[in-house]
């Protein structure tokens, strides 16, 4: 559903037309079901990286396409990761329409005192996106000598965990 700018210059004596009421109904539907993209992973294998520069976690499964009307977009991620080195870190960022949105170390750093699984999650507001179709990808990097694993429902060593990545227009 798309938003239709409602008539705002009503004058006393104006007659409400069917098109005015239809626009109101369309707008209520647009508010109820805003553009949304969501993936819940249930993969045959978990995701890993040793990259020291930001790279896509997975170019197909963790890539969201969202057609917006020009409002703010709320992006969320929740998952579990493990590092092969205690007291190391993994950095996360978003690639929006081919451009990273944050600085050198992204929007989230997760550090772990041990190699046990730990939570990796964030909520991030994307603002100033024009109306149109947008591609949002989850990216990550680690320090040299570190390997990170994102548990993706493969039922491997730790658990059968299912990360979720989502984007929704909220304005």
């Amino acid at each position: 559903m798309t938003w239709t700018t409602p008539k705002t210059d009503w004058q006393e004596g104006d007659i409400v037309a069917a098109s005015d009421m239809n626009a109101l109904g369309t707008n209520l539907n647009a508010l109820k079901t805003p553009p949304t993209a969501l993936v819940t992973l249930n993969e045959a294998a978990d995701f890993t990286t040793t990259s020291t520069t930001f790279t896509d976690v997975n170019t197909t499964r963790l890539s969201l396409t969202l057609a917006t009307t020009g409002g703010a977009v709320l992006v969320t991620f929740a998952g579990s990761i493990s590092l092969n080195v205690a007291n190391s870190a993994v950095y996360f960022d978003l690639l929006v329409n081919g451009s990273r949105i944050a600085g050198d170390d992204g929007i989230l750093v997760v550090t772990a005192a041990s190699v046990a699984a730990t939570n990796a999650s964030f909520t991030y507001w994307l603002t100033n996106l024009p109306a149109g179709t947008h591609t949002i990808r989850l990216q990550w990097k680690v320090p040299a000598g570190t390997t990170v694993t994102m548990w993706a429902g493969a039922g491997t060593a730790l658990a059968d965990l299912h990360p979720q990545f989502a984007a929704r227009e909220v304005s």
Side-chain angles (χ1 to χ4, degrees), residues 128-150:
N128 302 317
L129 286 178
T133 300
H134 304 284
T135 301
I136 303 166
R137 291 186 176 166
L138 183 64
Q139 293 200 316
W140 60 357
K141 72 174 185 175
V142 292
T146 302
T147 300
V148 63
T149 299
M150 179 188 299

Side-chain angles (χ1 to χ4, degrees), residues 44-123:
D46 299 313
F47 301 126
T48 63
T49 193
T50 57
S51 178
T52 57
T53 59
F54 278 102
T55 186
D56 291 344
V57 175
N58 184 281
T59 57
T60 55
R61 295 293 288 137
L62 291 167
S63 179
L64 305 172
T65 302
L66 189 68
T68 69
T69 61
V73 173
L74 183 66
V75 180
T76 62
F77 170 75
S80 293
I81 57 99
S82 291
L83 299 163
N84 72 324
V85 178
N87 298 312
S88 194
V90 58
Y91 301 84
F92 289 92
D93 202 357
L94 296 172
L95 187 73
V96 179
N97 301 326
S99 298
R100 280 194 37 242
I101 60 159
D104 293 339
D105 289 329
I107 60 174
L108 174 71
V109 59
V110 178
T111 58
S114 72
V115 295
T118 191
N119 179 54
S121 63
F122 63 82
T123 301

